[in-house]
Amino acid sequence: MIFHLRSSRPVERSKVRGLFLKGVVFRFFIFFLVGLIVGFTPIPIVDQSKNNLSRHGAFSFHEPVIGKFQTSINSVDNDILLTQKSLPKGHINLEASMKLEMENKTLNASHSLYSSHDFALVSSKLLIIVTPTYSRPFQSFYLNRLAQTLRNVPHPLLWIVVEMSLQSDETVKILRDTGVMYRHLVGDHNVTSVKDTVIQLRNVALYHIERHQLDGIVLFADDDKIYSLGLFDKMVEIRRFGTWPVAVLTEDKKRALFEGPVCKGREIVGWHTHQTRLSRRFQIDMSGFAFNSTILWDPKRWHRPNIDLIRLHDSVRVGFQESKFVEQLVEDESQMEGLSENCSRILVWHLHLEAPQLLYPSGWLFERNLEDLIPLML
């Protein structure tokens, strides 16, 4: 009997080859699955530019409400200068617009970023300081004095400075040297009187806040007034509308007058005034109140009865501008709050230092040396 033996090697080889292929496929599947999970896992990235709102991040932005559209963004840190002038109405520099919108998002989100990192050093609300300015003898002194105050205010703070027609070189230099976050706006209106100029400049700032939906507390800080640092500490407590007394030195420098609220606690119960002949609804100074900027662009939040634009009007009589503007923000004193306990602290002073007839050199620069009045004794 003859037996035929068949070799088992081909069978063993096929089994090993099959196991090897299964192992390769299994490993490939595992690595693919791990890679897929890692790829879709969000990795937290800390954006230092948002968590550190630099005092030196200065920007300038031209934005007239009507007429020619001019826009420029000037970043001191990055030496970027983008200008676009004499464009038809409705055109805009796209790159400049994108940069500005990014800054708006940073400003509007800054209160949450700061409050989550350092409660003690920074405020939780963006303070929007609006300052109209124009060429006159004390302009440089006024702006420098106000800048020195604002640079000591905790972040976040945005200083909106508005000029008529163009950005003067003198104002640009002052703003760049302040170390304060600012926007430099330009109005484009044909006005002759100082009163109408200031009204239009404030309206340019209101339009800018409304258009870019800046979220914060707005203060009209005229450059010829003096502001206590305590004012800005109190402003972050404002929910809708806050007010405080303003001390006014008479032009003859003989008396100090008060204008603003009389309070019981933080409740408004009356008004100080030195203009009893004016039957104004609210006896208030333009730098004697601040308000939530969302009133300008979110009427539903505040249950405003109409959606008319909130603006100052040059047709209103002198002395009534402040009251008429406030009437657009609140219905009565119940929607106001006194800023300090019993409104007993003076936080703003108005000193009449202006000298209209004073002659001064253009740009405050002397082209030649002054004549020696007392020569040196050699």
Side-chain angles (χ1 to χ4, degrees):
M1 182 180 291
I2 300 174
F3 295 92
H4 296 279
L5 300 177
R6 300 177 61 183
S7 176
S8 61
R9 289 182 179 179
V11 176
E12 292 176 355
R13 288 178 180 177
S14 63
K15 288 183 179 180
V16 170
R17 191 174 299 168
L19 292 174
F20 175 77
L21 291 176
K22 287 182 180 179
V24 169
V25 172
F26 178 77
R27 291 188 183 91
F28 175 81
F29 176 78
I30 293 297
F31 285 121
F32 174 80
L33 187 62
V34 171
L36 191 66
I37 294 173
V38 172
F40 283 95
T41 302
I43 301 175
I45 299 176
V46 178
D47 187 350
Q48 295 296 334
S49 65
K50 290 186 178 181
N51 288 294
N52 183 22
L53 190 61
S54 172
R55 285 181 179 267
H56 304 289
F59 295 89
S60 63
F61 183 85
H62 290 242
E63 182 178 32
V65 177
I66 58 176
K68 296 182 297 181
F69 194 96
Q70 300 176 330
T71 177
S72 68
I73 288 185
N74 178 21
S75 173
V76 175
D77 294 341
N78 301 319
D79 293 327
I80 298 173
L81 180 61
L82 302 171
T83 60
Q84 182 172 339
K85 298 183 179 180
S86 302
L87 294 180
K89 184 178 180 181
H91 286 64
I92 185 168
N93 184 306
L94 181 59
E95 186 174 359
S97 177
M98 292 176 63
K99 288 179 180 291
L100 190 60
E101 290 305 321
M102 291 177 62
E103 183 195 352
N104 292 336
K105 293 178 181 178
T106 302
L107 288 171
N108 287 336
S110 60
H111 66 277
S112 60
L113 292 171
Y114 281 111
S115 60
S116 63
H117 286 81
D118 196 336
F119 288 95
L121 297 180
V122 295
S123 61
S124 59
K125 287 185 180 179
L126 171 67
L127 301 183
I128 305 172
I129 312 302
V130 174
T131 301
T133 188
Y134 55 95
S135 180
R136 60 200 193 279
F138 277 78
Q139 181 187 21
S140 178
F141 166 72
Y142 288 149
L143 287 176
N144 275 292
R145 182 179 63 183
L146 181 54
Q148 294 304 315
T149 300
L150 296 181
R151 70 185 303 171
N152 289 290
V153 178
H155 284 184
L157 180 144
L158 175 64
W159 190 15
I160 299 180
V161 179
V162 196
E163 284 190 287
M164 187 62 73
S165 302
L166 55 85
Q167 290 182 338
S168 66
D169 294 338
E170 295 79 17
T171 303
V172 168
K173 184 179 186 306
I174 291 173
L175 295 179
R176 287 179 176 176
D177 293 342
T178 60
V180 177
M181 176 74 77
Y182 72 87
R183 290 184 184 175
H184 193 178
L185 310 186
V186 173
D188 188 10
H189 303 269
N190 294 322
V191 293
T192 55
S193 68
V194 172
K195 177 185 78 72
D196 291 344
T197 296
V198 172
I199 290 173
Q200 297 300 334
L201 296 182
R202 290 193 181 113
N203 283 337
V204 169
L206 292 174
Y207 170 79
H208 182 83
I209 295 168
E210 180 183 80
R211 176 186 174 187
H212 299 288
Q213 296 188 357
L214 299 181
D215 189 352
I217 304 300
V218 180
L219 168 68
F220 290 127
D222 293 340
D223 57 6
D224 60 346
K225 295 174 183 174
I226 302 173
Y227 303 87
S228 167
L229 285 176
L231 169 65
F232 305 97
D233 295 334
K234 293 291 185 180
M235 279 176 56
V236 298
E237 303 173 4
I238 295 174
R239 295 184 297 273
R240 175 173 183 150
F241 184 97
T243 182
W244 54 88
V246 175
V248 181
L249 181 66
T250 58
E251 295 187 19
D252 60 8
K253 310 295 188 297
K254 294 182 178 180
R255 292 186 302 159
L257 307 175
F258 300 97
E259 191 167 49
V262 178
C263 303
K264 183 178 181 181
R266 301 192 67 170
E267 179 186 359
I268 312 298
V269 296
W271 298 95
H272 293 287
T273 183
H274 60 275
Q275 302 183 42
T276 55
R277 292 178 295 177
L278 298 180
S279 57
R280 299 182 296 175
R281 174 64 182 84
F282 301 112
Q283 306 292 333
I284 197 168
D285 186 271
M286 190 61 77
S287 295
F289 66 89
F291 61 93
N292 195 309
S293 65
T294 58
I295 299 177
L296 299 174
W297 50 267
D298 191 2
K300 292 183 179 179
R301 174 179 176 181
W302 301 101
H303 307 289
R304 282 175 51 199
N306 57 63
I307 57 174
D308 294 338
L309 296 179
I310 297 177
R311 295 292 187 269
L312 293 149
H313 301 283
D314 52 17
S315 59
V316 178
R317 287 171 50 195
V318 176
F320 287 81
Q321 282 287 342
E322 298 86 348
S323 180
K324 289 296 182 182
F325 180 77
V326 172
E327 289 174 30
Q328 301 176 70
L329 301 173
V330 296
E331 297 177 358
D332 53 40
E333 284 82 357
S334 66
Q335 296 179 343
M336 300 180 177
E337 52 188 307
L339 211 57
S340 58
E341 188 65 24
N342 295 319
C343 299
S344 57
R345 293 186 60 192
I346 301 300
L347 302 173
V348 180
W349 294 264
H350 187 190
L351 308 179
H352 293 280
L353 303 178
E354 197 62 65
Q357 305 303 322
L358 179 65
L359 298 178
Y360 62 100
S362 177
W364 287 99
L365 297 174
F366 295 100
E367 296 181 357
R368 58 186 180 84
N369 293 331
L370 298 177
E371 296 180 359
D372 292 334
L373 300 180
I374 303 178
L376 294 176
M377 303 298 294
L378 299 178

